[in-house]
Amino acid sequence: MKEIELKTTITAYQLEELTEAERHLVELAIEATSRSYAPYSRFHVGAALLLDNGVEIIGCNQENAAFPAGLCAERSAIFAAGAQYPNVPVKMIAIAARTPGGQLQATPVSPCGTCRQVLIETETRFRQPVRILLYGSECVYAVDSIKSLMPLSFTEFQ
């Protein structure tokens, strides 16, 4: 038997410690939470992307009474970027959420497994990491690649 230890590094920042570009992206993600359609969970999630060409794209979760028909904020932003700028890599993504009571989430929320898989595909496709900023009103978690959140990932190119 062989034991394999996997480690990850997540840096916790205060919002004011982020770069201006990072803070701006987080603010866009926070704003995007207000555009979310979440009548069932009342958990409003917003995402904002920064593409390599400087373009910013937002996304928000969209729920549906037929639950599998909904879409997470992260994927709505990534798929919108792919439709509008198919050959431009994603440089960074910021994610924020509001609780069912409407308050910004105190602790950072991380992408679901499906969104993590889409982020892995994005990094693999463009052969560059995507910086991820997970906003919480108490702190912002930053990781330099989705591989930090999903170290045993599945890609076509393995």
Side-chain angles (χ1 to χ4, degrees), residues 34-137:
S34 66
R35 300 178 186 195
S36 161
Y37 178 70
Y40 306 102
S41 71
R42 295 187 319 278
F43 191 70
H44 300 270
V45 182
L49 302 178
L50 175 62
L51 303 183
D52 263 2
N53 64 0
V55 171
E56 301 163 334
I57 295 180
I58 64 165
C60 55
N61 60 322
Q62 299 293 309
E63 294 181 350
N64 191 286
F67 288 132
L71 191 61
C72 296
E74 300 91 329
R75 286 182 284 146
S76 71
I78 290 169
F79 295 157
Q84 296 173 56
Y85 302 94
N87 299 314
V88 179
V90 176
K91 184 174 183 175
M92 188 168 25
I93 183 171
I95 303 161
R98 292 188 187 276
T99 66
Q103 298 299 315
L104 286 168
Q105 185 77 20
T107 56
V109 291
S110 65
C112 73
T114 304
C115 288
R116 290 178 192 212
Q117 184 61 46
V118 169
L119 283 163
I120 285 284
E121 185 76 18
T122 301
E123 286 189 355
T124 303
R125 174 183 178 192
F126 293 111
R127 293 179 172 80
Q128 74 178 48
V130 175
R131 182 160 171 81
I132 302 167
L133 303 171
L134 306 173
Y135 174 80
S137 59

